[in-house]
Amino acid sequence: MIVLNELTQAIGDLDEEKVMEMLAEFVYSKPTENEAQEVVNACQQGMGIVGDLFEKGEYFVGDLIFAGQLLTEAINTLKPVIGGKSASKVGTIVLGTVHGDLHDIGKNIFRSMAEAAGFVVHDLGTDQPVSNFVEKVKEVNPDIVGMSGVLTLAIESMKDTIDGLKKAGLRDGVRIIIGGNPVTKEACEYVGADAFTSNAAAGVKICQGWVR
Amino acid sequence: MDHANKVMIEQSQQRNQNFIDIYEGRMPKKIPIAINIDGAAALEYAGKNLILDQYSADEMIEAMDYTNGLFDTDLVVGFSSRLPSYYKILGARNYVMGGDGFMQHPNINGIEPEDYDELINDPVKVCWEKVIPKFYSELAKPAPYNMIALLKMYVSMKNVMAKIGPAAAHIAAKYGKVTQKFYSKRTRAPFDLLADTFRSFTGISIDIRKYPQKVLEACEALLPLVLKMGIPAEKPSKTIRVGIALHMPTFMREKDFAKFWWPTYKRMVEYITEAGFGVYMFCEDDWMRYLDYLKELPAGCEMQFEYGEPKIIKQKLGDKHIIEGLFPISLLRTGSIQEVERKTKELIDILAPGGNYIFNLDKGILRASDAKVENLQTLLKCIREYGVY
């Protein structure tokens, strides 16, 4: 019998060996779909611990990358027993790195943490023109738009993108969060976003606050 | 020689001397200024087209001349050696152009985890056989096509540099800028090379947990290679600096840093210093957690910081090392002239006492939008007037 809080803690500790051992045993025990869903939730809560430790300065970006990988491996192991039932979705995010910028590490960390928190994330990729953000927002009608960038030029591109959403009449229907190395309070006001962060875990918390 | 020329030559000599004094451990007359401006920003300041004109040496030289006249920096600025033509000729995947023409380094890996043993055994062989063909599609082609691509790139580089070299000397003389060469070769910390060239940021973050022993051995194997890359050909002197941009430490936990990143880097810096050269390191991001480690390095290292507490950095390292950086570039973009002046004086008051200080921004100016012209001009004027010993 799997002990859920032990699993949550093992994910939080990034103890890969223990996590994979617990999950292998669990899958072998032929659990029901509901039991499997509880285990998925326990894993997701483990990501919450990782996020908290990151905010406290005990974990760093490298640890978040590993955590994302660990969660992916965990979910893959559980796939045979999860069945068709999908977890409850808390909200939808359209995410991308803005035009001119090819960096994606921060964006990918945010995506894996947002997905772990139950968001459906439509990831456009890197160096995305304004039109791609606009089209995707029209198509999926998200709660939130997340824009990422590492270069200082990304600030201008974020402004372009938000202006594009305004022009298309889509700005008021979404919350916008910007993330990455160059974002600051001033940059956030300048581009017209609702929130900013250089901390993926804190960014997910902001998004959770918006859809609650 | 006319009077104007003489004035400029004297100005160049004074500016050279300020750097020499710092590097040789003396108090300079004025704070040397190491602010740099990328070639992309220079083209933009000069009103040129980044996408097209970065392929033309003549356009780049015009932009350099314009930018060096516009900004009274100590160093000749406005050229980037990372030109797209070289990378395009080689079919590069490790440096690619963004949608607006700016060159960037994507998160790409040269080898897979199963290649570690080979890397540890013979890193040069792995570069030739795995990394280079993967990063450069033209070099992956069979002979003679790979040789032709390499030759094309080499000739292109020679053609560009044959114009840029004399132009830079001419610009230094015209505007009275530094004429001595201080910054020589560039190299990487062994762990950073392993991360950025071989395994990617994402890959290495996973490897230190999955294959810790292999990572340690790979750093050892890369140490001779980074030293070969870094040791200058010039006669040894503390005024010749080996540049090292430090990448991964602030993304790691301290115990991982201490185990994987630091030991080979420390030995590398000790070796370069013992060989008689100086080191310039860019401490990317916020290094406050690691100041005690930096203090262990041989005296006289030039350290540019991006973020952190200037007072604490000065207090911990100011007696032993040369401190540089920490001026927020964001202020040049969004601040007022008054705010720029205030911040400049504030930083100089903290960092300049006792010498061992070179003025710089927290990072280089890559694009014209990074710094308003009047703000950067104000900054430079303020350092010249206020940064006098």
Side-chain angles (χ1 to χ4, degrees):
Chain A
M1 187 54 201
I2 193 160
V3 185
L4 291 175
N5 56 9
E6 218 174 279
L7 176 64
T8 299
Q9 194 57 48
I11 296 252
D13 294 341
L14 300 178
D15 187 343
E16 185 193 24
E17 218 171 293
K18 188 168 178 189
V19 169
M20 299 320 285
E21 204 177 293
M22 287 178 86
L23 292 181
E25 227 172 86
F26 173 71
V27 170
Y28 187 71
S29 74
K30 300 251 180 327
T32 66
E33 282 186 18
N34 279 340
E35 284 168 338
Q37 201 50 57
E38 277 177 26
V39 168
V40 171
N41 289 343
C43 289
Q44 291 176 339
Q45 281 164 20
M47 282 298 272
I49 296 180
V50 172
D52 289 343
L53 289 173
F54 178 71
E55 282 190 65
K56 279 189 202 149
E58 286 180 38
Y59 281 165
F60 295 89
V61 170
D63 307 298
L64 295 187
I65 289 173
F66 182 75
Q69 163 89 4
L70 179 58
L71 188 73
T72 308
E73 279 177 30
I75 302 294
N76 283 343
T77 309
L78 290 167
K79 264 195 184 137
V81 295
I82 295 173
K85 200 177 162 195
S86 63
S88 53
K89 299 299 178 193
V90 303
T92 307
I93 301 175
V94 167
L95 180 68
T97 304
V98 290
H99 66 86
D101 199 321
L102 296 169
H103 294 82
D104 62 358
I105 294 169
K107 172 183 71 62
N108 292 349
I109 293 171
F110 175 82
R111 184 187 66 204
S112 63
M113 300 197 79
E115 284 174 344
F119 284 95
V120 176
V121 182
H122 299 271
D123 186 352
L124 298 169
T126 63
D127 198 1
Q128 287 298 309
V130 175
S131 57
N132 284 11
F133 276 93
V134 170
E135 288 309 313
K136 200 71 187 172
V137 169
K138 271 187 196 158
E139 181 194 329
V140 304
N141 189 27
D143 305 289
I144 295 161
V145 175
M147 295 179 206
S148 176
V150 165
L151 303 172
T152 48
L153 68 87
I155 301 295
E156 290 304 322
S157 304
M158 287 171 179
K159 188 171 181 353
D160 292 346
T161 309
I162 294 176
D163 289 346
L165 289 170
K166 276 183 192 159
K167 223 177 263 171
L170 300 165
R171 172 65 184 91
D172 296 336
V174 293
R175 302 281 198 138
I176 297 178
I177 182 164
I178 58 173
N181 182 52
V183 304
T184 56
K185 186 165 165 286
E186 292 72 30
C188 183
E189 283 165 14
Y190 173 73
V191 306
D194 297 308
F196 73 98
T197 184
S198 52
N199 173 333
V204 172
K205 281 192 180 162
I206 293 168
C207 293
Q208 284 170 321
W210 283 341
V211 295
R212 201 164 278 150
Chain B
M1 186 187 307
D2 63 34
H3 178 69
N5 260 342
K6 211 173 153 203
V7 168
M8 283 303 157
I9 288 171
E10 272 170 22
Q11 183 176 305
S12 282
Q13 283 167 347
Q14 278 164 14
R15 291 182 181 185
N16 288 342
Q17 193 58 44
N18 290 331
F19 277 94
I20 295 166
D21 286 342
I22 287 282
Y23 289 144
E24 293 183 343
R26 289 183 301 270
M27 198 73 146
K29 285 207 177 80
K30 284 187 167 195
I31 297 171
I33 305 169
I35 290 174
N36 193 21
I37 301 174
D38 192 81
L43 285 166
E44 290 173 330
Y45 280 123
K48 296 193 180 286
N49 181 322
L50 174 61
I51 293 181
L52 294 176
D53 293 336
Q54 59 185 338
Y55 289 96
S56 155
D58 296 331
E59 296 291 343
M60 285 188 288
I61 288 166
E62 265 184 43
M64 279 170 75
D65 192 317
Y66 178 84
T67 305
N68 280 284
L70 191 61
F71 301 117
D72 187 23
T73 51
D74 275 0
L75 305 176
V76 172
V77 298
F79 178 70
S80 19
S81 49
R82 198 170 277 161
L83 290 180
S85 49
Y86 310 163
Y87 291 97
K88 294 261 170 172
I89 289 169
L90 298 178
R93 299 192 183 96
N94 60 335
Y95 283 97
V96 295
M97 200 184 266
D100 66 347
F102 190 65
M103 297 298 287
Q104 296 164 54
H105 173 59
N107 185 36
I108 157 175
N109 61 310
I111 62 164
E112 302 303 322
E114 56 268 27
D115 300 324
Y116 261 114
D117 286 335
E118 230 177 300
L119 175 71
I120 291 159
N121 196 30
D122 191 345
V124 176
K125 188 161 179 267
V126 169
C127 282
W128 276 111
E129 292 179 358
K130 298 217 156 123
V131 180
I132 289 175
K134 189 162 177 194
F135 282 5
Y136 304 102
S137 62
E138 293 300 315
L139 298 182
K141 290 180 177 168
Y145 303 103
N146 53 359
M147 298 177 194
I148 292 169
L150 196 59
L151 188 67
K152 265 164 72 182
M153 182 266 175
Y154 183 75
V155 170
S156 156
M157 189 173 78
K158 281 280 164 199
N159 285 344
V160 171
M161 292 318 292
K163 288 185 172 178
I164 297 284
H170 173 76
I171 288 168
K174 181 173 172 186
Y175 298 107
K177 302 205 174 193
V178 161
T179 50
Q180 189 164 330
K181 187 180 171 198
F182 296 116
Y183 298 99
S184 181
K185 285 203 172 170
R186 280 192 295 193
T187 185
R188 307 296 315 273
F191 185 96
D192 286 342
L193 184 69
L194 180 63
D196 292 338
T197 296
F198 293 95
R199 290 293 297 130
S200 83
F201 192 118
T202 314
I204 198 73
S205 301
I206 293 164
D207 292 352
I208 58 170
R209 290 170 183 279
K210 288 204 173 198
Y211 325 102
Q213 194 53 36
K214 302 280 182 208
V215 172
L216 284 173
E217 287 171 32
C219 289
E220 289 292 336
L222 291 174
L223 180 57
L225 204 64
V226 295
L227 285 171
K228 193 173 162 58
M229 281 161 60
I231 296 292
E234 289 96 333
K235 189 168 147 264
S237 162
K238 290 293 166 206
T239 61
I240 299 204
R241 297 274 146 177
V242 177
I244 317 170
L246 311 181
H247 188 207
M248 296 300 295
T250 62
F251 304 110
M252 302 167 77
R253 289 188 293 180
E254 185 179 340
K255 72 173 193 188
D256 294 330
F257 164 85
K259 180 177 174 186
F260 295 103
W261 197 94
W262 181 249
T264 43
Y265 181 67
K266 189 181 174 197
R267 276 158 54 206
M268 170 187 178
V269 173
E270 284 167 351
Y271 186 93
I272 296 170
T273 313
E274 276 160 27
F277 297 100
V279 168
Y280 155 80
M281 57 187 90
F282 175 53
C283 301
E284 180 179 320
D285 196 20
D286 185 340
W287 276 65
M288 293 306 285
R289 290 192 277 145
Y290 298 133
L291 297 183
D292 289 331
Y293 290 88
L294 294 177
K295 201 170 176 181
E296 291 174 21
L297 294 175
C301 290
E302 177 183 355
M303 299 174 175
Q304 182 183 3
F305 291 93
E306 189 173 9
Y307 307 122
E309 280 296 317
K311 273 188 190 139
I312 298 172
I313 292 172
K314 178 73 176 175
Q315 186 195 334
K316 282 210 165 175
L317 302 174
D319 290 340
K320 190 170 184 185
H321 297 300
I322 300 160
I323 294 169
E324 184 175 325
L326 294 163
F327 186 97
I329 194 173
S330 56
L331 203 57
L332 297 181
R333 174 200 198 84
T334 58
S336 66
I337 283 177
Q338 292 74 20
E339 283 170 315
V340 169
E341 276 179 348
R342 204 178 314 133
K343 190 75 194 174
T344 309
K345 289 179 181 172
E346 180 196 312
L347 260 189
I348 289 176
D349 285 342
I350 296 169
L351 295 173
N356 257 354
Y357 174 50
I358 296 176
F359 194 98
N360 208 341
L361 308 173
D362 57 1
K363 45 186 158 288
I365 296 169
L366 297 180
R367 306 297 293 270
S369 59
D370 286 346
K372 281 188 208 155
V373 172
E374 63 272 26
N375 278 354
L376 183 52
Q377 287 173 334
T378 301
L379 172 78
L380 290 161
K381 185 161 175 278
C382 186
I383 307 165
R384 297 233 176 274
E385 289 168 4
Y386 196 71
V388 181
Y389 284 105

